[in-house]
Structure formats: structure tokens, C-alpha cells
Amino acid sequence: MSTQLRVVHATGYRYSEGATASFNEIRMIPRSTHQQQVLHSRVEISPVPWTYTYTDYWGTAVTAFEVFERHESLEVTATSIVDVLRPAAQSGGLGWAELASPRVADRYCEFLGLTDRVRPPADLAAWVHETRSLSATPRDAVDQIVERIHDQVSYVTGATSVHGNAAEAWQQRSGVCQDMAHLAIGALRVAGVPCRYVSGYLMPKRDAEIGVPYIGESHAWVQYWDGRWVGIDPTNNLRPGEMHVEVAIGRDYADVPPLHGIFTGGRAADMFVAVEITRLT
């Protein structure tokens, strides 16, 4: 049986001195994949802008928009109903030799690069190399690496900023889901496993009552290549299930922010975010 979820994600800016124009992109509409189907989606933007929709390089739905009138605030609300059915993780997968072959390494080279945002510190990288050498399969190494990150790094709201990097989170042993995902991505890439960032939502209550709205938030996890893209959630140390809703994918958070843009006419803007998730079936 699948699970049907309704997600209402509201976000935007309040400008301290007003904005005369703003140019933005949103990535807030879930993806339709073989594990989830978008049954309905709607984006409402105020002030009403000129909009253009497209699918980006990574396969994420994007709405670009421009506002050319003075406005004190910008409000975006995305409402989606998604039918989620994620089968149990299958055994098997690629071996180390197959993973290192040009067929895989060349094809997924963009998911093997280490940027400052995901690069792990030296002590974690050294442990990853040792773990890789002792692991019979890439999947064995992935499970050990993700479990260590989950055990070593505490989830602490506000411990880091959206501009933080994996090394900082590891050094202070605290962070949020974005940090856990970046740590896992960097560690898996050090091990030679192609890995990508996934942004989306997670129903905050596992035994959620049908028809009851719950306050949620954006969530992040990762997918690694094992002959197919396999999801794993470092924050919770589990495989994504039917309470996870996938929205955007990329190399790291820089490729997937829900709302991103620029504005003119003021000095500062305060961002607001609210997410509501309701189980429908």
C-alpha cells in the first residue's frame, strides 16, 4: 500500500525598506519518480509575477519568476499531493571493481567531486579509507559510514548556518540534516562511491493520523549509486520510506535551495518558512 501526503510549503521574504524588483527561482514541487507520483501541485506567488517553468540539469522542477513592482514582501506557497510507494531496499549491488570502472566513474564524475561544502576533515577521511579497505562491498562501507556520522554528530537545531560546511559540523559534532547529508556525501565520495544530495520533506510523526496536519520542515538525505540510486537518511540512519517526499537533487545544497534569488531597492530581507504535512491515506 502506498501513502498519500499533502505538503504545503510557504516561504518568502519581508524587506526592511521594500524591494523595487526581485528575481527568484523556487524548487518546491516534488519530483515524479518510480517511487513517488505527484498527483497535484500548485504554486501561488504574491505579488503576482511573470513566471517560467523548466527542469534543471539535475532533473528538478524549477519555477523562475520576476517581480517588477515595488513590494514590501514576497510570499510563495507550494501545495502538493504525492503518492509515495518505496519498496524495501534490495540486496546485492555493485562491487568495488565495477564502481571504479570508467563506465561508472566517468558517467557519475559530477557526484564524485569534493568541494569545500562537503569535503570531510582529515580524521574522518582517514577512517573512511580504512573502512573502505575492510568492506567487502560498497554497500557495506556505505552502511558503516552513515552509521558513524549518525552516531557521532548530534542533531541540534540552529547549530550551523545554511552556508556551513561538513568539516565544521564534524569538528563540533553537531548540525542539522543538511550537515549530515554533506558529511555523508563527502565521506562516500572519498570512498569512491558516487553520491548526490536530496532535498524534500519528512512527515515528523511516524504514526501520523490520517487527515491531521503536522508542522514539518524541509529535510535532506542522500542517494548513492549501487547500480541504481539508493537512498539513505544519515540524520535518522535509515532508508527513506513512505514518509519521505523527494523534491530536488544535486551535488550539494547549492544546487537545490527551495527559494533563491536577488532583489533591488532595499538593504536587507528577513526570510520566513512554514511547512505543513498531512497524511491523506
Side-chain angles (χ1 to χ4, degrees), residues 171-183:
Q171 289 164 359
Q172 65 188 32
R173 294 299 196 274
S174 63
V176 295
C177 58
Q178 174 182 305
D179 302 302
M180 312 271 192
H182 282 152
L183 275 166

Side-chain angles (χ1 to χ4, degrees), residues 7-10 155-158 175-178 199-205 214-221 235-236 243-245 247 258 273-277:
V7 181
V8 181
H9 184 172
Y155 183 93
V156 179
T157 302
V176 295
C177 58
Q178 174 182 305
S199 71
Y201 309 103
L202 172 61
M203 167 61 80
K205 192 173 179 62
Y214 293 89
I215 296 174
E217 58 186 15
S218 295
H219 191 55
W221 60 98
T235 303
N236 299 292
M243 294 299 182
H244 287 74
V245 176
V247 174
V273 179
V275 177
E276 179 186 277
I277 305 176

Side-chain angles (χ1 to χ4, degrees), residues 3 5 202-214 242-243 277-281:
T3 298
L5 300 172
L202 172 61
M203 167 61 80
K205 192 173 179 62
R206 291 189 179 183
D207 56 346
E209 295 182 48
I210 293 176
V212 177
Y214 293 89
E242 293 176 5
M243 294 299 182
I277 305 176
T278 306
R279 182 178 178 184
L280 302 180
T281 64

